[in-house]
Amino acid sequence: MQHAQSRARSRRWIGRGGLASLAVLIAFGVQPVVPALAGSWSSPVQLPGSCGSSVAVNRAGAMAAGGTFTAADGTTHVEVCTSPDGKTWQATDLGRGGDQPHGGPHPAVAVGPDGRVVAVWGSTVGCPAACGYIVQAAVQPAGGGWGAPVTLSTELNWGAGGLVLGMDGSGNAIAAWVGFYADASHYAVLPVAGSWGPAQTLSTYVQGRARNLSLAVSPDGSAIVAYATDHDAIWAVSGTVLGGFSAPVFVAAGDYAKNSAPKVALDDAGQASVVWSQSGRTQAATRSPGGTWSAPAVLASQSSSSVATAIDGAGNAIAVFGSSYSWHLAGGNWGAATPLPAGSSGGLVAADPAGTFVYADSGGNAFTFAAGATSFGTGSGSRGSLADLKIVPGLAAMLAAGAVSAEAVS
Protein backbone atom coordinates (compact mmCIF):
# COMPACT_ATOMS: atom_id res chain seq x y z
CA MET A 1 0.00 0.00 0.00
CA GLN A 2 2.84 2.39 0.82
CA HIS A 3 4.26 1.79 -2.66
CA ALA A 4 0.92 2.56 -4.34
CA GLN A 5 0.32 5.67 -2.24
CA SER A 6 3.80 7.00 -2.94
CA ARG A 7 3.29 6.48 -6.67
CA ALA A 8 -0.16 8.10 -6.57
CA ARG A 9 1.17 11.18 -4.77
CA SER A 10 4.00 11.48 -7.31
CA ARG A 11 1.61 11.09 -10.23
CA ARG A 12 -0.70 13.81 -8.90
CA TRP A 13 2.21 16.21 -8.43
CA ILE A 14 3.96 15.42 -11.68
CA GLY A 15 0.91 15.42 -13.95
CA ARG A 16 0.68 17.73 -16.92
CA GLY A 17 -0.10 20.72 -14.73
CA GLY A 18 2.74 19.86 -12.38
CA LEU A 19 5.16 19.52 -15.26
CA ALA A 20 4.23 22.96 -16.54
CA SER A 21 4.93 24.38 -13.07
CA LEU A 22 8.19 22.47 -12.97
CA ALA A 23 9.27 23.98 -16.29
CA VAL A 24 8.54 27.48 -14.93
CA LEU A 25 10.57 26.81 -11.79
CA ILE A 26 13.51 25.56 -13.80
CA ALA A 27 13.32 28.59 -16.09
CA PHE A 28 13.81 30.81 -13.01
CA GLY A 29 16.70 28.71 -11.74
CA VAL A 30 14.72 26.96 -9.00
CA GLN A 31 15.35 23.22 -8.75
CA PRO A 32 12.45 21.58 -6.91
CA VAL A 33 12.96 18.23 -5.25
CA VAL A 34 11.00 15.66 -7.23
CA PRO A 35 10.44 12.42 -5.32
CA ALA A 36 11.46 8.99 -6.50
CA LEU A 37 8.84 6.27 -6.67
CA ALA A 38 9.12 3.38 -4.27
CA GLY A 39 9.97 0.33 -6.36
CA SER A 40 9.11 -3.24 -5.45
CA TRP A 41 10.71 -5.87 -7.70
CA SER A 42 9.86 -9.55 -7.55
CA SER A 43 12.51 -12.09 -6.66
CA PRO A 44 14.50 -13.17 -9.75
CA VAL A 45 13.15 -16.26 -11.51
CA GLN A 46 15.97 -18.27 -13.08
CA LEU A 47 15.19 -19.16 -16.69
CA PRO A 48 15.13 -22.84 -17.65
CA GLY A 49 17.34 -22.38 -20.73
CA SER A 50 20.04 -20.18 -22.21
CA CYS A 51 17.71 -17.20 -22.68
CA GLY A 52 19.82 -14.45 -21.16
CA SER A 53 20.12 -11.97 -24.05
CA SER A 54 16.73 -10.20 -24.42
CA VAL A 55 13.34 -9.99 -22.73
CA ALA A 56 9.83 -8.82 -23.68
CA VAL A 57 6.57 -8.44 -21.76
CA ASN A 58 2.93 -7.54 -22.50
CA ARG A 59 0.34 -5.84 -20.30
CA ALA A 60 -1.16 -9.17 -19.22
CA GLY A 61 2.20 -10.27 -17.83
CA ALA A 62 3.15 -12.78 -20.53
CA MET A 63 6.88 -12.76 -21.16
CA ALA A 64 9.54 -14.09 -23.49
CA ALA A 65 13.32 -14.17 -23.23
CA GLY A 66 15.87 -15.18 -25.85
CA GLY A 67 19.46 -16.31 -26.02
CA THR A 68 21.82 -18.84 -27.55
CA PHE A 69 23.73 -21.93 -26.48
CA THR A 70 26.42 -24.15 -27.95
CA ALA A 71 25.05 -27.52 -29.02
CA ALA A 72 26.89 -30.83 -28.69
CA ASP A 73 28.18 -30.55 -32.26
CA GLY A 74 29.74 -27.17 -31.50
CA THR A 75 27.18 -25.06 -33.42
CA THR A 76 25.27 -22.11 -31.97
CA HIS A 77 21.52 -22.61 -31.41
CA VAL A 78 18.72 -20.13 -30.70
CA GLU A 79 16.72 -20.73 -27.52
CA VAL A 80 13.58 -18.86 -26.45
CA CYS A 81 11.94 -19.13 -23.03
CA THR A 82 8.26 -18.19 -22.71
CA SER A 83 5.95 -17.66 -19.75
CA PRO A 84 2.26 -16.76 -19.32
CA ASP A 85 2.95 -14.93 -16.07
CA GLY A 86 6.69 -14.41 -15.59
CA LYS A 87 6.79 -17.21 -13.02
CA THR A 88 6.51 -20.51 -14.88
CA TRP A 89 8.73 -20.82 -17.95
CA GLN A 90 9.28 -23.20 -20.84
CA ALA A 91 12.41 -23.26 -23.01
CA THR A 92 12.42 -24.14 -26.73
CA ASP A 93 15.42 -24.84 -28.96
CA LEU A 94 14.66 -23.14 -32.30
CA GLY A 95 17.63 -24.71 -34.03
CA ARG A 96 20.93 -23.59 -35.42
CA GLY A 97 21.59 -19.83 -35.64
CA GLY A 98 21.83 -16.73 -33.52
CA ASP A 99 25.57 -16.16 -33.96
CA GLN A 100 25.13 -12.91 -35.96
CA PRO A 101 25.40 -9.96 -36.20
CA HIS A 102 28.15 -8.65 -33.96
CA GLY A 103 26.45 -6.80 -31.12
CA GLY A 104 22.80 -6.57 -30.13
CA PRO A 105 20.45 -9.25 -28.78
CA HIS A 106 20.73 -12.83 -30.00
CA PRO A 107 17.81 -13.20 -30.65
CA ALA A 108 15.52 -10.17 -30.27
CA VAL A 109 12.06 -11.06 -28.91
CA ALA A 110 8.63 -9.41 -28.69
CA VAL A 111 5.29 -10.39 -27.12
CA GLY A 112 1.95 -9.26 -28.56
CA PRO A 113 -1.12 -8.28 -26.55
CA ASP A 114 -2.64 -11.72 -27.19
CA GLY A 115 0.52 -13.54 -26.08
CA ARG A 116 1.97 -14.24 -29.53
CA VAL A 117 5.78 -14.33 -29.39
CA VAL A 118 8.10 -13.25 -32.21
CA ALA A 119 11.85 -13.93 -32.31
CA VAL A 120 14.35 -12.60 -34.88
CA TRP A 121 18.04 -13.41 -35.21
CA GLY A 122 20.99 -13.57 -37.59
CA SER A 123 22.78 -16.73 -38.67
CA THR A 124 25.90 -17.86 -40.47
CA VAL A 125 25.30 -20.41 -43.25
CA GLY A 126 27.36 -22.20 -45.88
CA CYS A 127 30.70 -22.15 -44.06
CA PRO A 128 33.47 -22.94 -44.59
CA ALA A 129 33.06 -23.21 -48.37
CA ALA A 130 31.16 -19.94 -48.87
CA CYS A 131 29.94 -18.19 -45.75
CA GLY A 132 26.67 -16.30 -45.95
CA TYR A 133 24.79 -14.28 -43.34
CA ILE A 134 21.00 -14.35 -43.13
CA VAL A 135 18.13 -12.95 -41.06
CA GLN A 136 15.69 -15.50 -39.64
CA ALA A 137 12.49 -15.30 -37.61
CA ALA A 138 10.06 -17.62 -35.85
CA VAL A 139 6.61 -17.13 -34.34
CA GLN A 140 4.78 -18.84 -31.50
CA PRO A 141 1.02 -18.14 -31.80
CA ALA A 142 -0.85 -17.48 -28.58
CA GLY A 143 -1.44 -20.82 -26.91
CA GLY A 144 0.35 -22.72 -29.69
CA GLY A 145 3.74 -24.15 -30.56
CA TRP A 146 6.64 -22.55 -32.40
CA GLY A 147 6.48 -22.49 -36.18
CA ALA A 148 9.49 -23.35 -38.30
CA PRO A 149 12.00 -20.51 -38.73
CA VAL A 150 11.68 -18.48 -41.94
CA THR A 151 14.36 -16.46 -43.73
CA LEU A 152 13.66 -12.72 -44.00
CA SER A 153 16.87 -11.87 -45.86
CA THR A 154 19.93 -13.61 -47.26
CA GLU A 155 21.92 -10.38 -47.01
CA LEU A 156 22.95 -9.51 -43.44
CA ASN A 157 26.01 -7.44 -42.62
CA TRP A 158 27.59 -9.50 -39.87
CA GLY A 159 29.83 -6.71 -38.60
CA ALA A 160 27.56 -3.64 -38.66
CA GLY A 161 25.48 -4.52 -35.62
CA GLY A 162 21.94 -3.57 -34.86
CA LEU A 163 19.47 -6.31 -35.79
CA VAL A 164 16.40 -4.88 -34.04
CA LEU A 165 12.78 -5.90 -33.42
CA GLY A 166 9.78 -3.88 -32.26
CA MET A 167 6.04 -4.34 -31.84
CA ASP A 168 3.17 -1.86 -31.62
CA GLY A 169 0.22 -1.97 -29.27
CA SER A 170 -1.84 -4.05 -31.70
CA GLY A 171 0.79 -6.75 -32.09
CA ASN A 172 2.20 -5.78 -35.50
CA ALA A 173 5.93 -6.56 -35.52
CA ILE A 174 8.80 -4.95 -37.43
CA ALA A 175 12.40 -6.12 -37.78
CA ALA A 176 15.25 -4.02 -39.18
CA TRP A 177 18.86 -4.82 -40.01
CA VAL A 178 21.90 -3.66 -41.98
CA GLY A 179 22.49 -5.47 -45.26
CA PHE A 180 25.77 -6.47 -46.81
CA TYR A 181 25.39 -4.87 -50.25
CA ALA A 182 26.37 -1.18 -49.99
CA ASP A 183 25.63 -1.43 -46.25
CA ALA A 184 22.07 -0.27 -46.81
CA SER A 185 19.53 -0.91 -44.04
CA HIS A 186 16.32 -2.85 -44.51
CA TYR A 187 13.15 -3.87 -42.69
CA ALA A 188 10.34 -6.38 -42.85
CA VAL A 189 6.89 -6.30 -41.24
CA LEU A 190 4.81 -9.06 -39.65
CA PRO A 191 1.15 -7.92 -39.40
CA VAL A 192 -0.80 -9.19 -36.44
CA ALA A 193 -2.94 -11.31 -38.78
CA GLY A 194 -0.60 -12.31 -41.59
CA SER A 195 2.86 -13.46 -42.57
CA TRP A 196 6.15 -11.63 -42.95
CA GLY A 197 6.23 -9.19 -45.85
CA PRO A 198 9.20 -8.78 -48.18
CA ALA A 199 12.36 -6.97 -47.11
CA GLN A 200 12.20 -3.25 -47.92
CA THR A 201 14.86 -0.55 -47.93
CA LEU A 202 15.23 1.96 -45.09
CA SER A 203 18.46 3.72 -46.08
CA THR A 204 21.07 3.53 -48.83
CA TYR A 205 24.71 4.45 -49.40
CA VAL A 206 23.55 8.00 -50.30
CA GLN A 207 23.37 8.79 -46.58
CA GLY A 208 26.46 6.71 -45.82
CA ARG A 209 26.93 3.10 -44.85
CA ALA A 210 24.50 2.31 -42.03
CA ARG A 211 25.61 0.74 -38.77
CA ASN A 212 24.38 0.32 -35.18
CA LEU A 213 20.62 0.52 -35.73
CA SER A 214 18.29 1.52 -32.90
CA LEU A 215 14.52 1.05 -33.19
CA ALA A 216 11.66 2.63 -31.23
CA VAL A 217 8.01 1.72 -31.80
CA SER A 218 5.16 3.49 -30.02
CA PRO A 219 1.88 1.78 -29.05
CA ASP A 220 0.01 3.55 -31.86
CA GLY A 221 2.29 2.05 -34.52
CA SER A 222 4.66 4.96 -35.16
CA ALA A 223 8.29 3.97 -35.55
CA ILE A 224 11.77 5.49 -35.76
CA VAL A 225 15.04 3.84 -36.75
CA ALA A 226 18.14 5.82 -35.77
CA TYR A 227 21.56 4.82 -37.03
CA ALA A 228 25.12 6.00 -37.43
CA THR A 229 27.08 5.99 -40.69
CA ASP A 230 30.72 5.02 -41.10
CA HIS A 231 31.48 8.75 -40.61
CA ASP A 232 29.51 8.67 -37.33
CA ALA A 233 26.85 11.02 -38.68
CA ILE A 234 23.47 10.37 -37.02
CA TRP A 235 20.40 9.80 -39.17
CA ALA A 236 16.78 8.94 -38.39
CA VAL A 237 14.10 7.29 -40.50
CA SER A 238 10.49 7.85 -39.42
CA GLY A 239 7.20 6.22 -40.36
CA THR A 240 4.72 3.63 -39.19
CA VAL A 241 4.94 -0.12 -38.84
CA LEU A 242 2.23 -0.79 -41.42
CA GLY A 243 2.47 2.38 -43.49
CA GLY A 244 6.15 2.53 -44.42
CA PHE A 245 8.89 5.10 -43.89
CA SER A 246 9.96 8.45 -45.24
CA ALA A 247 13.45 9.27 -46.45
CA PRO A 248 16.23 9.40 -43.83
CA VAL A 249 16.68 12.73 -42.04
CA PHE A 250 20.09 14.06 -41.01
CA VAL A 251 20.30 14.66 -37.25
CA ALA A 252 23.97 15.40 -36.50
CA ALA A 253 27.46 15.31 -37.97
CA GLY A 254 30.03 12.72 -36.96
CA ASP A 255 33.69 12.61 -36.07
CA TYR A 256 34.81 9.71 -38.31
CA ALA A 257 35.83 7.55 -35.35
CA LYS A 258 33.26 4.81 -36.13
CA ASN A 259 32.21 4.49 -32.50
CA SER A 260 28.70 6.00 -32.40
CA ALA A 261 25.80 3.74 -31.44
CA PRO A 262 22.68 5.92 -31.09
CA LYS A 263 19.70 4.99 -28.93
CA VAL A 264 16.22 6.30 -29.74
CA ALA A 265 12.89 6.56 -27.89
CA LEU A 266 9.42 7.55 -29.15
CA ASP A 267 5.97 8.29 -27.73
CA ASP A 268 2.48 8.24 -29.24
CA ALA A 269 2.48 12.02 -29.69
CA GLY A 270 5.37 11.76 -32.13
CA GLN A 271 7.92 13.18 -29.70
CA ALA A 272 11.27 11.43 -29.67
CA SER A 273 14.73 11.54 -28.16
CA VAL A 274 18.01 10.18 -29.46
CA VAL A 275 21.32 9.98 -27.59
CA TRP A 276 24.75 8.99 -28.88
CA SER A 277 28.42 9.11 -27.94
CA GLN A 278 31.41 10.10 -30.05
CA SER A 279 35.11 10.19 -29.25
CA GLY A 280 35.05 13.71 -27.80
CA ARG A 281 31.48 14.22 -26.59
CA THR A 282 28.11 12.71 -25.70
CA GLN A 283 25.14 14.33 -27.44
CA ALA A 284 21.36 14.22 -27.65
CA ALA A 285 18.55 15.60 -29.78
CA THR A 286 14.77 15.67 -29.54
CA ARG A 287 12.00 15.59 -32.13
CA SER A 288 8.81 17.62 -32.02
CA PRO A 289 5.39 16.07 -32.69
CA GLY A 290 5.61 17.65 -36.13
CA GLY A 291 8.71 15.66 -36.94
CA THR A 292 11.43 18.34 -36.65
CA TRP A 293 14.68 17.33 -34.96
CA SER A 294 16.39 19.83 -32.69
CA ALA A 295 20.00 20.85 -32.99
CA PRO A 296 22.28 18.45 -31.10
CA ALA A 297 22.97 19.29 -27.47
CA VAL A 298 26.24 18.34 -25.79
CA LEU A 299 25.48 16.43 -22.58
CA ALA A 300 29.12 15.73 -21.70
CA SER A 301 32.47 16.83 -23.08
CA GLN A 302 33.73 13.26 -23.19
CA SER A 303 32.60 10.00 -24.71
CA SER A 304 30.44 7.54 -22.77
CA SER A 305 30.90 3.79 -22.75
CA SER A 306 27.13 3.31 -23.06
CA VAL A 307 24.08 5.49 -23.65
CA ALA A 308 20.32 5.00 -23.25
CA THR A 309 17.18 7.13 -23.47
CA ALA A 310 13.46 6.95 -22.72
CA ILE A 311 10.48 9.28 -23.21
CA ASP A 312 7.00 9.29 -21.68
CA GLY A 313 3.63 10.28 -23.15
CA ALA A 314 4.00 13.92 -22.13
CA GLY A 315 7.31 14.29 -23.96
CA ASN A 316 9.59 14.17 -20.91
CA ALA A 317 12.84 12.47 -21.89
CA ILE A 318 15.85 11.18 -20.00
CA ALA A 319 19.32 10.36 -21.24
CA VAL A 320 21.63 8.02 -19.33
CA PHE A 321 25.30 8.08 -20.31
CA GLY A 322 28.28 6.63 -18.49
CA SER A 323 27.74 7.37 -14.81
CA SER A 324 25.45 10.39 -15.41
CA TYR A 325 21.95 11.29 -16.53
CA SER A 326 20.15 14.37 -17.87
CA TRP A 327 16.47 15.33 -18.13
CA HIS A 328 14.75 17.02 -21.04
CA LEU A 329 11.37 17.99 -19.61
CA ALA A 330 8.56 18.84 -22.01
CA GLY A 331 8.94 22.38 -23.33
CA GLY A 332 12.47 22.78 -21.99
CA ASN A 333 16.04 21.90 -22.86
CA TRP A 334 18.48 19.22 -21.79
CA GLY A 335 19.56 19.79 -18.20
CA ALA A 336 23.00 19.51 -16.67
CA ALA A 337 24.63 16.12 -16.35
CA THR A 338 23.86 14.68 -12.90
CA PRO A 339 25.58 11.70 -11.25
CA LEU A 340 23.67 8.43 -11.19
CA PRO A 341 23.18 6.74 -7.80
CA ALA A 342 26.45 5.76 -6.17
CA GLY A 343 27.92 2.66 -7.75
CA SER A 344 25.75 2.86 -10.88
CA SER A 345 26.96 3.26 -14.44
CA GLY A 346 25.85 2.21 -17.89
CA GLY A 347 22.64 0.25 -18.11
CA LEU A 348 19.23 0.82 -19.69
CA VAL A 349 16.25 3.09 -19.12
CA ALA A 350 12.56 2.73 -20.06
CA ALA A 351 9.39 4.79 -19.63
CA ASP A 352 5.67 4.16 -19.94
CA PRO A 353 3.15 6.68 -21.36
CA ALA A 354 1.91 7.66 -17.88
CA GLY A 355 5.30 8.94 -16.77
CA THR A 356 6.92 6.08 -14.85
CA PHE A 357 10.64 5.75 -15.58
CA VAL A 358 12.79 2.75 -14.72
CA TYR A 359 16.59 2.75 -14.85
CA ALA A 360 18.65 -0.41 -14.36
CA ASP A 361 22.42 -0.11 -14.11
CA SER A 362 24.91 -2.55 -15.59
CA GLY A 363 24.83 -4.60 -12.39
CA GLY A 364 21.08 -5.11 -12.50
CA ASN A 365 20.20 -2.59 -9.78
CA ALA A 366 16.86 -1.03 -10.83
CA PHE A 367 15.36 2.31 -9.77
CA THR A 368 11.79 3.57 -10.38
CA PHE A 369 10.98 7.28 -10.49
CA ALA A 370 8.81 9.98 -12.05
CA ALA A 371 9.70 12.49 -14.76
CA GLY A 372 12.07 15.16 -13.48
CA ALA A 373 13.14 13.17 -10.42
CA THR A 374 16.27 14.50 -8.74
CA SER A 375 16.63 11.38 -6.62
CA PHE A 376 16.17 7.82 -7.79
CA GLY A 377 15.48 6.45 -4.32
CA THR A 378 16.27 2.91 -3.19
CA GLY A 379 17.13 0.43 -5.91
CA SER A 380 16.21 -3.21 -6.24
CA GLY A 381 19.67 -4.35 -5.23
CA SER A 382 22.08 -5.86 -7.74
CA ARG A 383 20.56 -8.76 -9.69
CA GLY A 384 23.71 -9.55 -11.68
CA SER A 385 24.90 -8.54 -15.14
CA LEU A 386 22.10 -6.61 -16.88
CA ALA A 387 20.96 -7.88 -20.28
CA ASP A 388 17.64 -6.14 -20.98
CA LEU A 389 14.91 -3.93 -19.52
CA LYS A 390 11.37 -3.42 -20.83
CA ILE A 391 8.24 -1.61 -19.69
CA VAL A 392 4.58 -1.64 -20.71
CA PRO A 393 1.68 0.11 -18.99
CA GLY A 394 1.41 -1.55 -15.61
CA LEU A 395 4.52 -3.73 -15.66
CA ALA A 396 8.30 -3.62 -16.05
CA ALA A 397 10.58 -6.61 -16.62
CA MET A 398 14.34 -6.89 -16.15
CA LEU A 399 16.62 -9.65 -17.40
CA ALA A 400 19.88 -9.97 -15.47
CA ALA A 401 22.24 -12.92 -15.07
CA GLY A 402 19.82 -15.27 -16.81
CA ALA A 403 16.94 -14.49 -14.45
CA VAL A 404 13.83 -12.30 -14.82
CA SER A 405 12.41 -9.90 -12.22
CA ALA A 406 9.17 -7.92 -12.58
CA GLU A 407 7.67 -4.81 -11.03
CA ALA A 408 4.10 -3.50 -11.07
CA VAL A 409 4.31 0.15 -12.10
CA SER A 410 0.73 1.36 -11.65
Side-chain angles (χ1 to χ4, degrees):
M1 178 64 71
Q2 182 179 3
H3 168 58
Q5 289 174 344
S6 173
R7 190 180 304 280
R9 286 195 297 270
S10 297
R11 287 277 171 77
R12 285 195 295 269
W13 191 90
I14 203 71
R16 292 183 183 272
L19 286 170
S21 300
L22 179 60
V24 171
L25 289 171
I26 292 174
F28 283 94
V30 179
Q31 294 292 334
V33 176
V34 181
L37 303 177
S40 179
W41 288 85
S42 67
S43 298
V45 177
Q46 195 68 38
L47 297 174
S50 299
C51 303
S53 178
S54 59
V55 72
V57 60
N58 71 6
R59 297 180 68 167
M63 298 186 191
T68 60
F69 69 95
T70 302
D73 63 359
T75 61
T76 301
H77 280 225
V78 172
E79 190 157 37
V80 178
C81 300
T82 55
S83 172
D85 54 10
K87 300 176 183 177
T88 58
W89 290 82
Q90 180 177 357
T92 303
D93 178 358
L94 296 182
R96 187 171 178 174
D99 59 332
Q100 299 298 336
H102 295 175
H106 292 195
V109 293
V111 182
D114 65 349
R116 181 182 67 157
V117 180
V118 180
V120 178
W121 63 91
S123 299
T124 304
V125 294
C127 291
C131 292
Y133 307 98
I134 65 176
V135 180
Q136 295 180 283
V139 177
Q140 182 188 51
W146 283 96
V150 298
T151 298
L152 303 185
S153 175
T154 58
E155 192 220 340
L156 172 67
N157 189 316
W158 55 270
L163 174 60
V164 289
L165 173 68
M167 185 176 283
D168 66 20
S170 298
N172 302 299
I174 179 171
W177 62 93
V178 178
F180 183 76
Y181 179 73
D183 294 329
S185 61
H186 310 278
Y187 72 99
V189 172
L190 176 64
V192 66
S195 56
W196 284 101
Q200 303 182 66
T201 299
L202 271 173
S203 68
T204 69
Y205 66 90
V206 173
Q207 294 84 37
R209 294 182 293 180
R211 44 190 293 277
N212 295 338
L213 303 187
S214 176
L215 168 67
V217 179
S218 65
D220 72 351
S222 299
I224 293 179
V225 177
Y227 65 93
T229 67
D230 56 352
H231 299 256
D232 271 345
I234 305 300
W235 293 77
V237 190
S238 303
T240 64
V241 173
L242 297 181
F245 290 83
S246 60
V249 173
F250 176 79
V251 178
D255 62 359
Y256 293 81
K258 296 187 178 181
N259 57 4
S260 288
K263 301 298 180 184
V264 66
L266 173 68
D267 69 13
D268 267 355
Q271 300 165 115
S273 59
V274 61
V275 181
W276 65 96
S277 175
Q278 295 177 350
S279 55
R281 59 194 182 275
T282 300
Q283 295 182 277
T286 57
R287 196 187 76 169
S288 70
T292 301
W293 286 98
S294 71
V298 176
L299 303 181
S301 57
Q302 64 275 341
S303 62
S304 301
S305 58
S306 66
V307 298
T309 187
I311 192 168
D312 67 12
N316 304 296
I318 189 173
V320 176
F321 45 99
S323 58
S324 302
Y325 70 95
S326 174
W327 283 108
H328 185 289
L329 298 179
N333 299 306
W334 288 103
T338 304
L340 289 166
S344 291
S345 64
L348 299 168
V349 65
D352 69 7
T356 299
F357 288 77
V358 177
Y359 163 67
D361 66 21
S362 58
N365 191 15
F367 303 83
T368 306
F369 46 94
T374 54
S375 170
F376 286 9
T378 303
S380 64
S382 179
R383 303 295 173 96
S385 179
L386 178 70
D388 204 1
L389 176 71
K390 296 292 171 59
I391 191 170
V392 293
L395 191 65
M398 175 172 60
L399 174 62
V404 172
S405 304
E407 180 194 27
V409 294
S410 63

